């Protein structure tokens, strides 16, 4: 039996180990212990604390999971005010020079005097936090609030793994470490993906966050710490609040850089880009260097911060109106801006994908003027509730296409009658008028006029000319681009009207090459039905489906005239492919292109339809499980497939029949749970002989 003393000793040792491994894992990114081992230690500590509740200390690693739901947050008066920082909006090198010049002037340094030493940091885009440690233990976390009074968010901050609950090494009686709580972009994207799933599942109170800052702020101000714990937050330390004097056990750090190293030694993350610099030239170099890295960082920054390194000089410089004279934020172009939606248009991509695009009042964002921003697809546009006339947040980071991240709250709050209509995707292609279709399970609508649609022209021609299709040698990317741009080709049949003179008249086209292309075009006319079918670029009709179709029907007209039911009889053709084929050939423009190609002399040898084997089980899905008495599984599968059935690997609501042999396991259980028909081998053979039993 464990005595209380044994338990206390064991809990302390476990706590020590867990702190160390959490730091290795979360801060240093260098885990030494497999997750499962960590979990074991954690669970053992939880068990001890359950038995002896007095062992459950505030800095116990088990306290990261979040405690009671709160009614509200208590107010905290900061012992040392949390100041803000002057922002240098001149984003050119001039911004850094101006700061250095001000500092030198205040310090009374002559023009030819020594350079001032600075620390250059990143300006993180999150929320400032004051973390109070007494004798090394985190006792309170408070938001900045108005700088004088903030809110006590200790419970939520305990769930942030990058924040030590207990300082490593020597700890002073009191120290307040300040820094930024933020959310990494990848964590933000994953959180929003989860939020979208919840909303899709009908959870009314969930929302999608506009940006990581907003998500981090929401998590910090969560009244339910369990929810806060499920929102992945991170932390960087960069400043100091109250601290015991060196004579009373506080560290002796004469510079900001020394403090940052002390924070790191205590177990806090400090950005690795942090650097010392001398004089304006090195500040400028830092600003430019980080500017180049900005888009590759895993989190958002909106600038860099320069701080006079020496605390003695900081003291000399002092403050003006709550802003220190010894620090400045030097910004980068904002990656998010507000602007108005003038219209919502639909663009058609090279492959026929329809994308809703917001036309915007011109706005300078991410370093360029933006007038268009993508809304991705119909669901996104509707979920974000973007309407014409709304003020929206536009984001452009790096070379990424600008996107609308959300509608400004003011616009969302307007009465429905004063807002434009909710976006709906047009059901015809805005470029060519063919039907636009959205397949089940897909988010995108696509134009079905592949052969005719000007938006898809280049892609369609390249596909038609590809080696595995009509194999028109020499007709590559560049040439197609040239021919389409010069309006020499609009649709595929135009290819066969190109003569030597036209081709030879193109820029950078030698007579010899022109002659080769004419010959290649002539040669391509004699083709095969599968190549021709594949070359049409019908969605979901790849080479092997094209072969199956050709074999089954023998003639192109038979394929073009087949009903969906008839198409479904073809080996490997399911409902998606059948619908795609039917829709394609239903577009008058597509049929016209096919006719014109035939008229231009494109020909192939047509065959006879394959002998019609009866396919009594077409459209039925079977699953085979366990060991059958006489047939191997492959033999059973072949027999079922010959009869037109599909044989799947797992049981679902869509399964029509499960064939169960000896030692059938979970698949049989699942079939029974779902009420799916179950037969044995003899039952299967009976179905094969007599057909599907209609009830
Ligand atoms: S120092 C006395 N350093 O920017 C100086 N602030 O207005 C106090 N921030 O509220 C701030 N990165 O949320 C400092 N490396 C950094 C920072 C930083 C981001 C934020 C912080 C503060 C605001 C300044």
């Amino acid at each position: 039996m464990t005595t209380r003393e044994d338990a206390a000793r064991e809990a302390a040792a476990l706590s020590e180990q867990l702190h160390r491994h959490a730091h290795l894992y979360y801060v240093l990114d260098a885990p030494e212990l497999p997750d499962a081992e960590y979990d074991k230690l954690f669970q053992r500590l939880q068990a001890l604390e359950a038995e002896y509740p007095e062992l459950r200390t505030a800095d116990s690693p088990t306290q990261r999971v979040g405690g009671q739901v709160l009614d509200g947050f208590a107010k905290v008066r900061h012992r040392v005010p949390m100041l803000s920082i002057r922002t240098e909006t001149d984003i050119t090198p001039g911004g850094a020079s101006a700061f250095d010049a001000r500092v030198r002037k205040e310090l009374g340094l002559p023009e030819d005097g020594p350079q001032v030493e600075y620390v250059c940091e990143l300006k993180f885009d999150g929320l400032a936090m004051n973390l109070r440690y007494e004798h090394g233990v985190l006792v309170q976390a408070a938001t900045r609030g108005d700088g004088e009074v903030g809110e006590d968010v200790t419970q939520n901050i305990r769930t942030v793994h990058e924040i030590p609950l207990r300082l490593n090494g020597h700890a002073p009686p009191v120290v307040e470490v300040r820094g930024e709580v933020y959310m990494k972009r990848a964590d933000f994207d994953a959180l929003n993906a989860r939020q979208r799933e919840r909303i899709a599942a009908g959870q009314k109170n969930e929302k999608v966050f506009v940006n990581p800052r907003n998500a981090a702020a929401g998590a910090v101000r969560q009244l339910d710490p369990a929810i806060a714990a499920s929102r992945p937050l991170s932390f960087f330390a960069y400043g100091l609040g109250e601290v015991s004097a060196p004579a009373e056990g506080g560290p002796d750090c004469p510079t900001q850089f020394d403090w940052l190293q002390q924070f790191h030694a205590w177990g806090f993350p400090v950005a690795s880009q942090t650097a010392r610099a001398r004089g304006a030239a090195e500040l400028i170099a830092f600003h430019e260097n980080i500017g180049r890295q900005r888009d590759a960082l895993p989190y958002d920054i909106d600038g860099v911060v320069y701080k006079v390194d020496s605390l003695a000089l900081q003291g000399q410089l002092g403050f003006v109106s709550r802003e220190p004279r010894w620090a400045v934020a030097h910004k980068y172009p904002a990656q998010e801006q507000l602007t108005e939606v003038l219209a919502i248009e639909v663009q058609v991509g090279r492959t026929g994908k329809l994308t809703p695009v917001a036309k915007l009042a011109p706005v300078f964002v991410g370093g360029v003027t933006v007038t268009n921003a993508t809304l991705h697809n119909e669901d996104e546009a509707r979920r974000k509730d973007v309407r014409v006339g709304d003020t929206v947040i536009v984001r452009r980071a790096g070379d990424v296409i600008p996107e609308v991240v959300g509608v400004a709250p003011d616009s969302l709050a307007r009465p429905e009658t004063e807002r434009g209509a909710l976006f709906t995707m047009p059901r015809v292609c805005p470029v060519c008028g063919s039907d636009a279709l959205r397949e089940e399970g897909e988010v995108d609508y696509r134009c079905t006029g592949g052969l005719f649609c000007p938006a898809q022209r280049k892609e369609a021609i390249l596909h038609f000319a590809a080696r595995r299709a009509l194999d028109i040698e020499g007709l590559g990317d560049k040439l197609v681009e040239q021919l389409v741009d010069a309006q020499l080709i609009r649709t595929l049949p135009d290819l066969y009207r190109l003569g030597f003179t036209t081709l030879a008249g193109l820029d950078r086209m030698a007579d010899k090459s022109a002659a080769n292309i004419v010959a290649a075009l002539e040669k391509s006319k004699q083709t095969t039905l599968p190549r021709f079918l594949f070359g049409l670029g019908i969605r979901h009709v790849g080479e092997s489906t094209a072969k199956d179709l050709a074999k089954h029907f023998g003639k192109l007209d038979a394929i073009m005239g087949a009903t969906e039911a008839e198409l479904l009889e073809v080996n490997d053709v399911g409902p998606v492919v059948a619908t795609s084929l039917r829709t394609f050939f239903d577009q008058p423009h597509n049929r016209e292109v096919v006719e014109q190609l035939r008229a231009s002399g494109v020909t192939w040898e047509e065959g006879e339809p394959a002998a019609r084997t009866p396919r009594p089980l077409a459209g039925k899905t079977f699953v085979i499980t366990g060991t059958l008495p006489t047939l191997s599984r492959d033999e059973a599968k072949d027999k079922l497939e010959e009869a037109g059935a599909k044989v799947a690997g797992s049981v679902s609501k869509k399964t029509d029949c499960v064939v169960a042999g000896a030692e059938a396991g979970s698949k049989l259980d699942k079939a029974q749970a779902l009420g799916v028909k179950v037969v044995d081998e003899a039952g299967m053979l009976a179905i094969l002989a007599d057909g599907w039993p209609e009830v």
Side-chain angles (χ1 to χ4, degrees), residues 309-326:
D309 194 22
S310 152
L311 301 193
L313 290 184
Q314 286 189 6
Q316 222 173 301
L317 285 157
F319 303 89
V320 251
S321 64
R322 319 201 47 72
E323 287 173 355
R325 283 205 193 86
W326 45 262

Side-chain angles (χ1 to χ4, degrees), residues 190-470:
L191 169 64
N192 262 355
R194 286 204 303 275
Q195 292 297 99
R196 275 195 281 277
E197 270 169 29
R198 290 194 178 130
I199 294 166
Q203 294 189 23
K204 289 278 179 300
N205 296 328
E206 300 293 352
K207 66 170 199 166
V208 171
F209 298 97
V210 188
N211 55 36
R213 213 199 89 78
N214 179 283
V220 166
R221 302 205 70 255
Q222 254 300 324
L223 290 168
D224 182 349
I227 297 180
S230 72
R231 308 258 170 96
L233 295 173
S234 299
F235 184 78
F236 277 123
Y238 55 64
L240 195 65
E242 190 185 21
V243 63
S244 309
E248 281 145 25
D252 190 5
C253 295
T255 67
Q256 165 75 3
F257 200 78
D258 292 330
W259 272 114
L260 293 175
Q261 285 181 329
Q262 176 65 72
F263 296 155
H264 189 69
W266 276 332
F268 293 96
V270 173
S272 62
Q273 290 81 359
T274 310
R276 273 181 155 144
R278 293 159 79 76
E282 290 188 18
L283 296 183
I284 294 167
F286 184 82
H287 187 257
E288 285 176 349
N289 179 24
I290 298 297
R292 279 189 294 273
Q293 297 177 35
R294 182 187 188 192
D295 294 323
L297 293 175
Y299 43 82
D300 284 353
I301 59 168
D302 54 0
V304 293
V305 178
Y306 311 132
K307 297 175 182 171
V308 170
D309 194 22
S310 152
L311 301 193
L313 290 184
Q314 286 189 6
Q316 222 173 301
L317 285 157
F319 303 89
V320 251
S321 64
R322 319 201 47 72
E323 287 173 355
R325 283 205 193 86
W326 45 262
V328 79
H330 195 192
K331 293 254 189 173
Y332 292 117
Q335 290 176 321
E336 288 184 3
Q337 288 290 1
L338 292 175
T339 189
E340 191 193 337
V341 177
L342 305 176
I344 300 177
E345 291 180 358
V346 173
Q347 284 179 1
V348 187
R350 285 170 65 96
T351 59
K353 183 173 131 182
L354 271 56
T355 306
V357 174
K359 298 275 150 182
L360 306 168
V363 61
F364 193 72
V365 52
V368 300
T369 300
V370 165
T371 52
N372 290 316
T374 182
L375 288 161
H376 299 293
N377 55 54
E378 184 184 47
D379 291 354
E380 283 283 296
R382 292 173 74 92
R383 181 182 64 68
K384 288 177 182 159
D385 199 15
V386 178
R387 321 273 183 109
V388 175
D390 282 354
T391 299
V392 290
I393 302 161
V394 180
R395 177 177 172 89
R396 179 186 181 272
D399 294 331
V400 185
I401 302 169
E403 61 163 352
V404 172
V405 290
V407 177
D410 287 359
S411 289
L412 276 181
R414 287 190 305 171
E416 185 65 29
T417 48
E418 284 173 29
R419 298 188 71 199
L422 188 60
F423 176 79
T424 36
M425 191 61 97
R427 299 305 196 260
V428 294
C429 170
V431 172
C432 77
S434 301
D435 294 335
L437 273 196
R438 175 178 175 174
E439 287 169 12
E440 211 183 297
E442 300 256 324
V443 290
D444 293 315
Y445 280 81
R446 286 176 183 278
C447 165
T448 55
L451 290 189
F452 171 76
C453 182
Q456 299 171 68
R457 229 167 241 170
K458 289 176 186 169
E459 206 67 11
I461 296 166
L462 275 173
H463 181 79
F464 187 74
R467 200 167 51 78
R468 295 168 171 283
L470 279 265

Side-chain angles (χ1 to χ4, degrees), residues 74-142:
K75 298 278 182 250
V76 174
R77 177 162 293 276
H78 298 300
R79 291 171 171 87
V80 176
M82 291 183 80
L83 303 170
S84 65
I85 203 168
R86 179 185 162 121
T87 299
E88 195 61 70
T89 44
D90 175 359
I91 60 170
T92 69
S97 305
F99 170 62
D100 181 54
R102 281 198 307 274
V103 168
R104 297 184 67 83
K105 186 162 167 254
E106 287 298 328
L107 293 175
L109 292 173
E111 249 176 58
D112 53 357
Q115 302 281 20
V116 177
E117 299 209 5
Y118 298 101
V119 172
C120 302
E121 300 174 7
L122 305 184
K123 187 165 193 303
F124 311 105
D125 204 3
L127 295 85
M129 194 65 58
N130 185 68
L131 305 172
R132 185 175 176 88
Y133 291 82
E134 292 176 1
H135 302 286
V137 175
L138 175 67
V139 293
Q140 187 181 63

